[in-house]
Amino acid sequence: MWKGFLYLFRKDFRLMLSSKFFLLALGSLILYSCYINFIYVGLDQHIYPVYLYDPQNKQENRSEYITVTESRETLEKLCSDNYSVGIDLSSDEPEIYMLSTGMATTDHYRKLWAEAVLNSRIDKQSEIIGTNTKEMKNRREITAEFLFFELSAVGFLGLASMLFKEKQMGVIRVHGILPVSKSAFIVSKLTLLFISDMAFTVLMTFINLGFSAGMTILPGVLIQAGILSLIMALVGFLCAVRLPDFKQFSLFYLILAIFITTPVFLAGQTDIQWSWIDYHPMYHLFTAMKSAYFGMPVYQLPYYVICTVVIILLFLLAHKTLSCEMAKEG
Amino acid sequence: MERLKYQMKNIRRDKMCILTFLLPIVVGIAIHFLSDLSLQNIGGTSFAGLKGNLSEEIVLWLEQIGTYTEYETLDALEIAINEPSTQMIGVLENGHGLHTLLSGDELEVNKIIGNTLPSLYQNRENITGAKTTLIPLKTDNSGIKSLFIAITLVTAMFMGCTFNAMNMIGEKEDGISFINQILPMSVKTYIIQKTALGFIGGFLSTLITALICIRINPMQIIPFMIIMILSAYIAALIGLYIGRHSEGLMIGLVYIKMIMIVFLAPPILVYITVSPSSPVFYLSYILPSSATFYALMDILSGQSQDLWVAIIILLSHSVLWSIVYLLVERHHRL
Amino acid sequence: MQMIDVKNLKYTYNKNKQALQGLSFHVKDGEIFGFLGPNGSGKSTTQKILTGILKGYSGHVSLLGQETKAVNAQDFFQEIGVLFEFPYLYTNLSAIENLKYFASFYNSERIRDINELLNLLEVKKEFWNKPVSSYSKGMRQRVSMARALISNPTVLFLDEPTSGLDPAGTVLFRKIIQEERAKGTTVFLTTHNMADADLLCDRVAFIANGSIVALDTPKNLKEKNSSHHVAISFLYQGKREDRTIEAIQLDAGIPFLHDEIISIHTQEPTLEDVFIQYTGRGLS
């Protein structure tokens, strides 16, 4: 029954090639890598600039954080970004001028900062307990996010679009009466997508983290990418077989991409604390992927047991759904 | 109007278009009800300490300049500081004053805050207490909230392209494009009809979202409406291009995804990271969404001096891309 | 009057492939003209040129007395109705909404009553306001026919009108096409259905490899290609026998001994036989 697997695999490869799936993946790889290397790694937020208007030169020892301005108007203009702080020493009493950020705590800190800078009372003393630089952290973080998005949304779409093509052509019905196992029909597609996702993961990691940093974390990343790839491919397979047309499928895709991944990104990317996020299955896959990129792979046995059970259940469900669909169409 | 009514009816029953229409509105409602406290978490400075280590006075002082979280053990505290998604600054008291812990991967602003916090605390008594002039925000929208609102509104405006693009792709898939070829309908009528679909969808979605989540100065209503109209028109033009050049739903979706990324990400990044006087900032006007985004940020912060620049840029984009579309259409027919 | 006049029509998709190789034919006012040919023979290309969709041909094509290259497309499309091979409709809209939408493009004085049309095509009333997505293929085809007829066209182009219809629907469509002819509408019918062509068409043209290989009335085509033989089954001395003779031999009575004649059948070919004879290919 599995002797036709190779033919199925070759047919699926040709279908994917003709649907420009690999070209799209390559395009995404280039787009993501350009964004990471040319834009994201350089992103930073500077400390609140302090502008000083001191016509009588009252301040002699000026801190490195101070920029002198020529007039009060210039000072006000420079502070109009709701971020910078101005100090006016033109009158007897020093005046701190600033536009509110809308956050009382931040405004209060800006005031303290300006006063400290004015009085040159700033020493640098803190202990570094982490191992990442800002650039490396940015690279690991954004690569993990793009890979997660690519595997969970785009790969899902790729497999489903291939299956919809077969559905439209009516050849799924033909497979129902061929001497080839339904499992082989599913596994052939899964294998192809799995190989493609693994190749994408390796390239994405090496291009954006560099070879040596990439090599140290690659095994852990590949495990997480493999789990995500299989789960999403099986979900994509199920939806493509169940849903009657591609339009309904794309609707589901939009919901998945926006409503399911957005809270995951928000919870994983910002300080927002949601207790319910622990019940969001994608959140665990996302944090596992991110941890792998930061060299702290998840070692909890229950996580892997649950993932394996989910993959097996999804496979059985996909098998059953495919059988029903073949019978329905026949 | 009769034809437009049926076209609208057709997309109204398209779940994809309904979702696209409602998405910004739902996000607008979420932003409206998002309390300032939860937004504070995103934009403010975060401090963390060890339970029982910091005195009440220090905690109160920290809470005046940021948020403070307490951890049971040093390990838990270090894990929280090293957690890549946070910018948390660890604060400990060691008998001589404060001692700060940093992960080393923080943004410059948090690195400097962490480095200078001990001396800032130590010298808190010696601060001169200068007179402070704090100009409040001209609107109720806080910085981060404005950013969210502007992103949502720009998304709503440029999502307008989905309505006519999906309609045109749907016509191709259902074979209606064959009927269009033999209907007594001019190319001009067709273009106007499809542009109107995208425009109405994008405009209404933006208008409802704006009514829900922003309160602007009455003087800015007219420039805001002009910006909204021009942006929705450009989105409709983009929809025409996508609908015209997509052979199937899959290709159409990929185009829409790419347009949304290209139109939304650069303006936000440039706005946050690049100075308005930089050549990169001017270069970003190559995307119409940049003009819309910067103008919305100005409106939300109560400024209006640069709005006319955005209007001129959007107008230029509208004229340029309309001419290009008509030329392409004419070339195709020949 | 000639409603459609085609002279030496040639069309090439690319340098090497000439789709039409000098077609010449005409269709008279109020005539039902059948256009038959195997797949890839140039039927669709010809219909696209006649309906003004495809330009860039050489030769002369006129419809309603005007050269199709020179006509104003909007005025031209007011005069024609086209039924495509597949029922193309807005699936989110109901039959009434679809028909109202398409009708809105035509001059109001041409428009037929939508309810009357749907009744004529026997579309079930309970479906009139339901989305087309809930219709069967046959019902969609009926609504498509209504769309083609909505503007009371002077020339009606029908591509496989009875495909996907049940026998009752086929009979109904034939009746409607004949009624259209009776009203004076010219019908250009492209079909694979030999029964439709035989029953409906005043004349038929066979097209193969971009050329017309035969053009006449179905009756003449069959007669011309008949061997003029009859097959006779008879009983003689208690045994049943069959014999085929030339029809002319019957002038002098049955030319062989027999006790009882069971049946006499003419050996006239079917339209399909004639087609195969001319083109060497079936109609599939």
Side-chain angles (χ1 to χ4, degrees):
Chain A
M1 286 228 275
W2 283 82
K3 69 178 177 189
F5 179 78
L6 199 66
Y7 294 106
L8 278 172
F9 187 79
R10 272 165 56 186
K11 177 263 301 174
D12 284 335
F13 181 70
R14 285 200 189 117
L15 268 178
M16 269 182 133
L17 214 58
S18 69
S19 72
K20 300 192 178 82
F21 176 82
F22 297 115
L23 208 65
L24 277 175
L26 186 71
S28 301
L29 182 74
I30 294 169
L31 190 74
Y32 295 153
S33 301
C34 287
Y35 174 74
I36 293 170
N37 287 287
F38 298 121
I39 298 172
Y40 196 81
V41 290
L43 285 186
D44 206 349
Q45 187 183 342
H46 300 294
I47 187 70
Y48 310 105
V50 179
Y51 295 104
L52 176 71
Y53 174 52
D54 183 12
Q56 290 113 36
N57 280 323
K58 289 179 190 166
Q59 190 73 14
E60 281 172 7
N61 299 322
R62 282 174 192 156
S63 157
E64 58 178 303
Y65 295 107
I66 281 182
T67 309
V68 178
T69 63
E70 294 303 315
S71 65
R72 170 77 187 199
E73 287 74 34
T74 318
L75 182 127
E76 285 186 12
K77 200 178 170 200
L78 287 166
C79 293
S80 65
D81 59 0
N82 296 65
Y83 192 73
S84 309
V85 192
I87 304 172
D88 185 353
L89 296 183
S90 58
S91 54
D92 292 341
E93 191 185 1
E95 180 198 350
I96 292 178
Y97 173 87
M98 58 186 185
L99 269 71
S100 173
T101 57
M103 274 186 268
T105 50
T106 305
D107 289 342
H108 189 66
Y109 180 81
R110 285 162 75 209
K111 177 179 176 279
L112 291 185
W113 170 248
E115 286 184 323
V117 165
L118 183 67
N119 298 309
S120 298
R121 290 199 182 99
I122 40 172
D123 302 316
K124 293 177 183 175
Q125 39 181 316
S126 68
E127 186 188 340
I128 304 295
I129 57 167
T131 49
N132 273 317
T133 59
K134 185 179 73 62
E135 185 189 324
M136 208 52 194
K137 177 223 166 191
N138 280 359
R139 283 181 181 277
R140 288 175 196 273
E141 191 175 61
I142 194 72
T143 309
E145 279 163 20
F146 277 148
L147 186 65
F148 179 79
F149 179 74
E150 183 71 20
L151 299 189
S152 59
V154 183
F156 170 79
L157 189 68
L159 186 133
S161 71
M162 179 168 72
L163 208 63
F164 266 111
K165 234 178 213 170
E166 288 190 278
K167 225 173 150 178
Q168 275 168 1
M169 292 186 277
V171 289
I172 289 186
R173 181 177 51 182
V174 180
H175 283 92
I177 49 105
L178 284 180
V180 63
S181 125
K182 290 182 187 71
S183 303
F185 184 83
I186 303 171
V187 172
S188 137
K189 288 182 189 348
L190 287 189
T191 313
L192 196 59
L193 203 74
F194 184 81
I195 295 171
S196 148
D197 283 347
M198 290 300 106
F200 187 89
T201 306
V202 172
L203 288 172
M204 188 84 180
T205 307
F206 284 152
I207 291 171
N208 298 304
L209 264 66
F211 188 74
S212 58
M215 267 317 267
T216 54
I217 53 136
L218 197 61
V221 168
L222 283 178
I223 291 172
Q224 301 310 325
I227 292 172
L228 187 62
S229 168
L230 286 175
I231 291 178
M232 292 318 296
L234 281 165
V235 173
F237 188 95
L238 262 170
C239 295
V241 176
R242 279 304 296 156
L243 297 171
D245 58 45
F246 192 71
K247 212 162 195 176
Q248 287 203 18
F249 175 81
S250 15
L251 186 75
F252 184 81
Y253 166 75
L254 196 73
I255 292 170
L256 183 102
I258 295 169
F259 290 107
I260 298 185
T261 54
T262 307
V264 170
F265 280 123
L266 276 175
Q269 191 59 21
T270 66
D271 291 350
I272 289 178
Q273 304 283 329
W274 286 320
S275 52
W276 58 264
I277 202 80
D278 283 339
Y279 301 102
H280 196 311
M282 297 298 280
Y283 177 70
H284 296 282
L285 292 169
F286 176 67
T287 43
M289 174 75 81
K290 210 168 160 185
S291 304
Y293 264 99
F294 278 91
M296 301 176 284
V298 177
Y299 289 117
Q300 293 148 335
L301 190 64
Y303 168 78
Y304 292 104
V305 171
I306 291 171
C307 286
T308 313
V309 170
V310 166
I311 290 169
I312 293 169
L313 284 177
L314 282 172
F315 184 86
L316 293 175
L317 203 61
H319 192 280
K320 195 172 165 7
T321 312
L322 183 67
S323 305
C324 290
E325 191 63 26
M326 280 172 172
K328 205 199 291 173
E329 285 193 54
Chain B
M1 275 314 276
E2 180 84 356
R3 291 167 204 165
L4 199 60
K5 188 180 93 183
Y6 290 112
Q7 291 284 321
M8 291 298 289
K9 239 180 193 175
N10 186 37
I11 60 168
R12 206 184 67 204
R13 288 174 190 164
D14 188 323
K15 294 185 192 86
M16 185 92 168
C17 290
I18 289 296
L19 195 74
T20 309
F21 184 83
L22 292 177
L23 194 67
I25 298 173
V26 171
V27 176
I29 294 169
I31 292 174
H32 181 72
F33 290 109
L34 213 58
S35 69
D36 282 344
L37 194 68
S38 55
L39 286 170
Q40 189 97 355
N41 281 342
I42 302 170
T45 314
S46 306
F47 301 105
L50 202 55
K51 196 174 179 185
N53 176 259
L54 297 182
S55 67
E56 207 169 301
E57 188 204 346
I58 298 173
V59 172
L60 276 175
W61 185 75
L62 289 175
E63 281 175 346
Q64 282 179 346
I65 56 173
T67 54
Y68 175 74
T69 317
E70 212 163 59
Y71 290 88
E72 295 283 334
T73 63
L74 189 63
D75 276 352
L77 175 68
E78 287 188 353
I79 288 170
I81 294 165
N82 281 329
E83 166 57 47
S85 62
T86 67
Q87 292 279 320
M88 204 168 256
I89 299 166
V91 186
L92 296 172
E93 196 177 0
N94 58 9
H96 308 290
L98 293 186
H99 173 68
T100 47
L101 305 176
L102 288 175
S103 167
D105 59 11
E106 289 83 359
L107 295 169
E108 190 203 74
V109 61
N110 292 306
K111 208 174 275 180
I112 293 177
I113 291 174
N115 281 334
T116 56
L117 195 77
S119 63
L120 216 63
Y121 179 73
Q122 201 175 4
N123 297 317
R124 69 192 185 285
E125 304 292 338
N126 306 327
I127 294 292
T128 50
K131 182 181 110 187
T132 306
T133 308
L134 180 68
I135 314 288
L137 280 178
K138 287 180 187 167
T139 61
D140 292 339
N141 309 308
S142 66
I144 294 288
K145 199 168 175 176
S146 297
L147 196 68
F148 279 158
I149 292 171
I151 293 170
T152 311
L153 289 177
V154 175
T155 310
M157 283 173 200
F158 287 92
M159 281 282 248
C161 70
T162 312
F163 300 102
N164 53 350
M166 292 311 280
N167 178 267
M168 288 167 79
I169 296 167
E171 283 189 351
K172 279 184 191 175
E173 298 228 319
D174 292 341
I176 304 289
S177 51
F178 294 113
I179 300 179
N180 285 339
Q181 289 180 322
I182 53 99
L183 281 179
M185 169 174 61
S186 66
V187 176
K188 194 175 125 197
T189 313
Y190 178 79
I191 292 174
I192 291 172
Q193 191 188 78
K194 297 302 171 199
T195 312
L197 272 185
F199 176 80
I200 294 170
F203 181 79
L204 283 181
S205 178
T206 314
L207 187 70
I208 297 170
T209 313
L211 286 174
I212 291 167
C213 62
I214 62 170
R215 296 286 171 269
I216 58 173
N217 184 339
M219 294 295 286
Q220 289 178 319
I221 289 175
I222 290 172
F224 177 69
M225 290 299 274
I226 296 173
I227 285 162
M228 207 158 70
I229 287 167
L230 289 172
S231 303
Y233 173 72
I234 294 168
L237 268 182
I238 296 165
L240 272 186
Y241 277 99
I242 296 174
R244 179 85 173 75
H245 297 286
S246 305
E247 284 312 315
L249 259 174
M250 170 79 179
I251 305 280
L253 279 175
V254 171
Y255 281 147
I256 291 172
K257 174 192 141 189
M258 280 162 64
I259 288 286
M260 292 320 287
I261 293 174
V262 170
F263 272 60
L264 287 178
I268 300 166
L269 280 171
V270 170
Y271 184 83
I272 294 171
T273 57
V274 177
S275 153
S277 54
S278 153
V280 179
F281 194 87
Y282 290 111
L283 197 68
S284 71
Y285 281 123
I286 206 159
L287 289 172
S289 54
S290 299
T292 311
F293 185 77
Y294 306 151
L296 284 174
M297 287 306 287
D298 281 350
I299 288 172
L300 290 166
S301 60
Q303 293 166 15
S304 53
Q305 63 267 34
D306 290 336
L307 290 181
W308 63 271
V309 178
I311 290 172
I312 289 171
I313 287 164
L314 285 172
L315 202 60
S316 314
H317 273 290
S318 307
V319 173
L320 175 73
W321 295 112
S322 302
I323 292 170
V324 170
Y325 186 85
L326 291 173
L327 287 176
V328 169
E329 194 65 32
R330 182 174 293 178
H331 176 77
H332 182 80
R333 272 188 291 153
L334 291 175
Chain C
M1 183 193 163
Q2 287 178 2
M3 190 55 78
I4 300 172
D5 189 26
V6 176
K7 282 188 188 125
N8 198 26
L9 171 63
K10 288 181 183 166
Y11 188 81
T12 310
Y13 278 108
N14 53 47
K15 280 177 189 169
N16 304 319
K17 194 190 164 200
Q18 192 168 38
L20 302 177
Q21 305 182 19
L23 301 187
S24 294
F25 64 92
H26 68 271
V27 181
K28 285 178 271 181
D29 191 5
E31 182 182 22
I32 300 181
F33 187 84
F35 207 58
L36 313 168
N39 293 336
S41 57
K43 285 193 313 278
S44 300
T45 309
T46 310
Q47 184 160 320
K48 279 183 188 168
I49 291 171
L50 293 180
T51 51
I53 295 171
L54 213 55
K55 301 270 193 309
Y57 57 85
S58 71
H60 159 82
V61 177
S62 75
L63 206 127
L64 297 148
Q66 281 182 294
E67 182 72 33
T68 49
K69 274 179 189 167
V71 292
N72 176 319
Q74 307 318 309
D75 298 339
F76 176 74
F77 290 135
Q78 291 284 349
E79 300 291 335
I80 65 166
V82 182
L83 176 74
F84 294 94
E85 190 180 354
F86 300 103
Y88 302 134
L89 295 161
Y90 283 102
T91 49
N92 285 339
L93 300 181
S94 67
I96 296 223
E97 286 166 344
N98 264 289
L99 294 177
K100 277 187 178 169
Y101 169 71
F102 289 117
S104 69
F105 290 97
Y106 297 94
N107 297 336
S108 53
E109 63 271 19
R110 299 193 75 101
I111 305 301
R112 291 174 72 166
D113 183 74
I114 289 171
N115 294 3
E116 201 180 285
L117 256 181
L118 289 173
N119 275 324
L120 178 73
L121 282 146
E122 295 177 7
V123 178
K124 288 176 194 160
K125 209 159 188 171
E126 64 263 33
F127 280 91
W128 287 13
N129 288 305
K130 284 185 182 167
V132 169
S133 54
S134 62
Y135 294 12
S136 67
K137 195 187 170 197
M139 201 137 63
R140 289 180 192 208
Q141 187 73 349
R142 288 165 194 245
V143 179
S144 287
M145 184 63 150
R147 183 196 53 69
L149 296 173
I150 192 98
S151 61
N152 239 331
T154 314
V155 186
L156 187 59
F157 291 89
L158 303 175
D159 192 355
E160 296 296 347
T162 55
S163 113
L165 292 174
D166 55 18
T170 305
V171 171
L172 175 73
F173 266 44
R174 283 179 192 154
K175 193 182 119 214
I176 289 169
I177 294 167
Q178 277 164 339
E179 279 171 7
E180 282 299 309
R181 180 189 26 202
K183 271 167 50 187
T185 310
T186 306
V187 181
F188 189 88
L189 175 71
T190 310
T191 185
H192 281 156
N193 189 318
M194 283 296 121
D196 282 350
D198 211 352
L199 286 167
L200 294 169
C201 296
D202 298 313
R203 289 186 304 143
V204 295
F206 293 156
I207 178 171
N209 299 320
S211 303
I212 289 178
V213 289
L215 197 166
D216 211 331
T217 63
K219 188 167 175 275
N220 285 348
L221 281 171
K222 285 186 280 186
E223 275 179 13
K224 264 188 232 166
N225 292 281
S226 169
S227 57
H228 304 288
H229 280 71
V230 288
I232 304 170
S233 293
F234 61 95
L235 283 175
Y236 182 59
Q237 292 177 341
K239 269 174 69 184
R240 185 193 166 113
E241 283 185 45
D242 297 307
R243 194 172 287 185
T244 304
I245 58 165
E246 282 193 38
I248 200 158
Q249 288 180 268
L250 288 172
D251 283 353
I254 307 284
F256 49 79
L257 293 172
H258 60 278
D259 295 330
E260 189 187 331
I261 297 291
I262 299 169
S263 66
I264 302 177
H265 291 287
T266 63
Q267 293 293 280
E268 190 181 63
T270 63
L271 205 54
E272 188 162 0
D273 294 332
V274 177
F275 182 84
I276 292 167
Q277 211 169 316
Y278 276 107
T279 64
R281 290 163 70 185
L283 272 164
S284 58

